[in-house]
Amino acid sequence: MAQDAIADQVVRFLDHLTVERGAAPNTVTSYRRDLQRYSSYLGARGIHELTEVTEDDVREFLIELRRGDPDAGVVALADSSIARTLVATRRFHKFAAEEGIVAVDVAHGVRPPRAARRLPKSLPVDEVLAILEAASSGDHPRALRDRALLELLYSCGARISEATSLDVDDIDLEHRAVLLRGKGGKQRLVPVGGPAAAAVDAYLVRGRPALVSRAQAALFLNARGGRLSRQSAWQVLVTAAERAGLDKAVSPHTLRHSFATHLLDGGADVRVVQELLGHASVTTTQVYTLVTVNTMREVYSTAHPRAR
């Protein structure tokens, strides 16, 4: 059959990878799977020779991989899998051109699809408040520290590394401001909300003195009197979320995302939020506007009588 010509060329290419390139067995197996899918796609379009393939055919192949076919039980591939398949396809076409099987490498200009833009996960205000409340369990020094840490993370939108690297002198409770050191050594002065300032003050007065065992500049201390680690700070949040009864995964970045989303929901300008988050570009911050637009769309579709 004519269609076997492409299959034979795939076998020839895989032999080339194995013998001449010394490719790992797993790589060859992966390429074989991807190229079998590609050759089946070409055959279904009536293309039986590589000389008949165009750049548009390669692009359409990627679109089909992303779309899938629910009726035929074909699952859509993730962007990472599509990009991997394209690598195999491009190498195959490059090999065919170098071997003189085709005159032109039609896959040369095809680029992998952009990864889907993942929206940051944020929590509703009531769930954030529940986590903050769950962090408190009396006047125990660590409980005071945990509440102060989580209040500050949510109040300032700080990264976990920024919070754990804080020294006592970095926070000004009188003027309710904190100096955060972000990526690339950049510094920014961020306002501190009233509840967060009160929680930090309570920790400094009644909690930290019981934890500190030697001269230590760090604001947040562990049980041995040293600087609290990022891993331990992460566990503080996870424990509080479990106590609050949340059945979803949370991370310190969840509070940062919630901080940004709640500000924008409240009418804050995106450039102000950019400065508060310490983003170098407003483009990075604008992903949060997609979250709020999605929220508005959901409210509209459920509340407006003519939305559907």
Side-chain angles (χ1 to χ4, degrees):
M1 292 176 61
Q3 187 177 342
D4 289 341
I6 293 180
D8 289 343
Q9 288 152 1
V10 168
V11 172
R12 182 176 167 185
F13 168 64
L14 294 175
D15 288 343
H16 166 76
L17 285 181
T18 303
V19 178
E20 298 185 33
R21 294 291 183 178
N26 287 344
T27 301
V28 176
T29 299
S30 175
Y31 275 39
R32 177 180 292 109
R33 180 178 59 250
D34 293 336
L35 292 174
Q36 284 174 344
R37 181 184 288 118
Y38 181 51
S39 59
S40 296
Y41 158 81
L42 293 175
R45 292 172 68 94
I47 299 172
H48 306 302
E49 298 283 350
L50 280 182
T51 53
E52 301 172 355
V53 180
T54 67
E55 184 173 312
D56 285 342
D57 291 323
V58 181
R59 295 187 192 280
E60 286 292 328
F61 173 56
L62 301 183
I63 293 172
E64 186 167 296
L65 292 179
R66 171 172 279 171
R67 183 170 52 225
D69 188 353
D71 294 335
V74 179
V75 179
L77 295 187
D79 285 337
S80 57
S81 297
I82 296 172
R84 185 205 65 222
T85 303
L86 177 58
V87 170
T89 305
R90 288 183 59 184
R91 288 195 66 178
F92 175 50
H93 276 282
K94 181 180 180 181
F95 167 80
E98 290 174 344
E99 292 294 307
I101 299 171
V102 295
V104 179
D105 178 0
V106 296
H108 175 73
V110 181
R111 294 290 178 265
R114 290 185 179 182
R117 200 174 196 183
R118 295 187 178 183
L119 298 181
K121 294 180 180 179
S122 62
L123 299 175
V125 175
D126 61 332
E127 291 186 356
V128 172
L129 297 181
I131 289 176
L132 297 179
E133 288 296 329
S136 298
S137 56
D139 268 3
H140 188 280
R142 284 193 298 244
L144 293 170
R145 177 204 64 194
D146 295 350
R147 179 63 182 261
L149 171 66
L150 298 187
E151 286 277 9
L152 199 62
L153 284 171
Y154 176 58
S155 179
C156 303
R159 301 178 180 91
I160 189 65
S161 57
E162 294 171 343
T164 54
S165 65
L166 283 173
D167 291 338
V168 174
D169 290 341
D170 291 329
I171 189 160
D172 183 349
L173 292 178
E174 180 181 355
H175 298 97
R176 285 183 17 193
V178 61
L179 180 65
L180 298 176
R181 295 173 179 84
K183 295 180 178 179
K186 294 181 179 178
Q187 298 183 355
R188 66 188 188 280
L189 196 64
V190 179
V192 177
V200 172
D201 184 57
Y203 162 64
L204 287 174
V205 173
R206 304 196 304 275
R208 190 177 181 279
L211 295 174
V212 69
S213 57
R214 58 185 183 278
Q216 176 60 262
L219 174 60
F220 294 111
L221 305 178
N222 58 33
R224 298 178 300 279
R227 186 181 295 275
L228 189 71
S229 68
R230 293 173 57 185
Q231 292 76 14
S232 296
W234 185 301
Q235 190 56 49
V236 167
L237 175 59
V238 170
T239 301
E242 290 174 350
R243 287 178 184 164
L246 268 66
D247 58 354
K248 61 185 72 173
V250 296
S251 72
H253 241 61
T254 306
L255 291 184
R256 180 170 161 86
H257 296 330
S258 301
F259 163 84
T261 303
H262 297 167
L263 278 173
L264 290 167
D265 282 340
D269 183 271
V270 67
R271 292 195 176 275
V272 173
V273 178
Q274 173 197 353
E275 292 295 329
L276 292 172
L277 290 173
H279 286 160
S281 169
V282 72
T283 304
T284 309
T285 315
Q286 283 174 334
V287 67
Y288 295 99
T289 65
L290 299 178
V291 179
T292 58
V293 168
N294 282 353
T295 301
M296 287 189 289
R297 185 178 293 114
E298 182 179 340
V299 171
Y300 174 80
S301 64
T302 57
H304 196 285
R306 303 280 289 180
R308 297 173 185 241

